[in-house]
Amino acid sequence: MLTRIDHIGIACFDLDTTVAFYRDTYGFEVFHTEINEEQGVREAMLRINGTSDGGASWIQLLEPVREDSAVGKWLAKNGEGVHHVAFGTADVDADSEAVRDKGVRVLYEEPRRGSMGSRITFLHPKDCHGVLTELVTAAPAEDVPAAPEH
Ligand code: V0V
Ligand code: CO
């Protein structure tokens, strides 16, 4: 069952200046950064609310590490903006199968590694009224990196 909005993915040309905008304008702090080579992104997760138990929601800022990556191609065509919406679920395997059974193209045969040890898959935007949709199961709380000291 999809129970919440896990994150909004926002494509940007420069991660550091975009992080600075979110900090200076809204006071959101970076909780975690990583490079995901498979997905071709350098990303920053800004925690909007909640705790580290998988109940938080996030802004995921995405800078491409390769021009031919999904985010690189999308930026070249559209410029900066909202790239995807991610729904949280306790069971991404079951929910992606359920969605696949309804005729929606699920892009991966098996969920792949996402931010902070999560497991993720994507639904084709053309089957979702123009929205690239991600399904995500957060890592167990003990696997989530601790919040940075302030
Ligand atoms: C492409 N299209 C989109 C879109 N990307 N529509 C809405 N939102 C997007 N983000 C449209 C595009 O305008 C085209 O429509 C059509 O889909 C085909 O696009 P394309 O430019 O030819 O690109 P493709 O087909 O090579 O790739 C599109 C897909 C690709 C969706 C298949 O972006 C993909 O595999 N995405 C999933 C992986 C991903 O996005 N990773 C980065 C985030 P027209 O022009 O034909 O009408 S990684 C992440 O979120 C992580 C790690 C995490 O959360 O933990
Ligand atoms: Co995402």
Side-chain angles (χ1 to χ4, degrees):
M1 197 199 326
L2 308 178
T3 50
R4 62 198 176 86
I5 293 175
D6 185 275
H7 65 267
I8 308 289
I10 296 174
C12 60
F13 290 115
D14 185 273
L15 191 63
D16 298 336
T17 57
T18 311
V19 161
F21 170 82
Y22 276 84
R23 180 188 300 119
D24 296 347
T25 310
Y26 310 120
F28 297 150
E29 295 288 348
V30 174
F31 183 90
H32 175 81
T33 60
E34 69 181 73
I35 292 176
N36 186 323
E37 281 293 345
E38 181 183 29
Q39 295 292 338
V41 294
R42 186 163 82 96
E43 55 149 278
M45 293 297 267
L46 316 185
R47 194 166 72 182
I48 306 307
N49 67 349
T51 61
S52 300
D53 64 358
S57 61
W58 310 82
I59 294 290
Q60 180 177 55
L61 302 178
L62 300 158
E63 177 193 86
V65 297
R66 297 187 296 274
E67 280 179 17
D68 66 348
S69 61
V71 173
K73 284 173 61 179
W74 190 86
L75 270 172
K77 191 171 163 188
N78 303 286
E80 296 184 315
V82 174
H83 179 258
H84 64 270
V85 172
F87 295 122
T89 165
D91 191 346
V92 64
D93 299 271
D95 283 327
S96 49
E97 282 313 310
V99 169
R100 200 192 305 267
D101 287 348
K102 293 181 197 284
V104 175
R105 278 170 289 172
V106 178
L107 296 183
Y108 304 148
E109 203 53 51
E110 297 288 332
R112 296 185 183 174
R113 192 181 65 76
S115 189
M116 300 184 291
S118 61
R119 298 177 67 242
I120 63 173
T121 197
F122 289 92
L123 315 181
H124 201 288
K126 293 297 180 190
D127 295 349
C128 303
H129 297 267
V131 178
L132 175 60
T133 304
E134 178 183 335
L135 308 184
V136 52
T137 296
E142 61 268 25
D143 295 342
V144 176
E149 300 288 331
H150 293 305

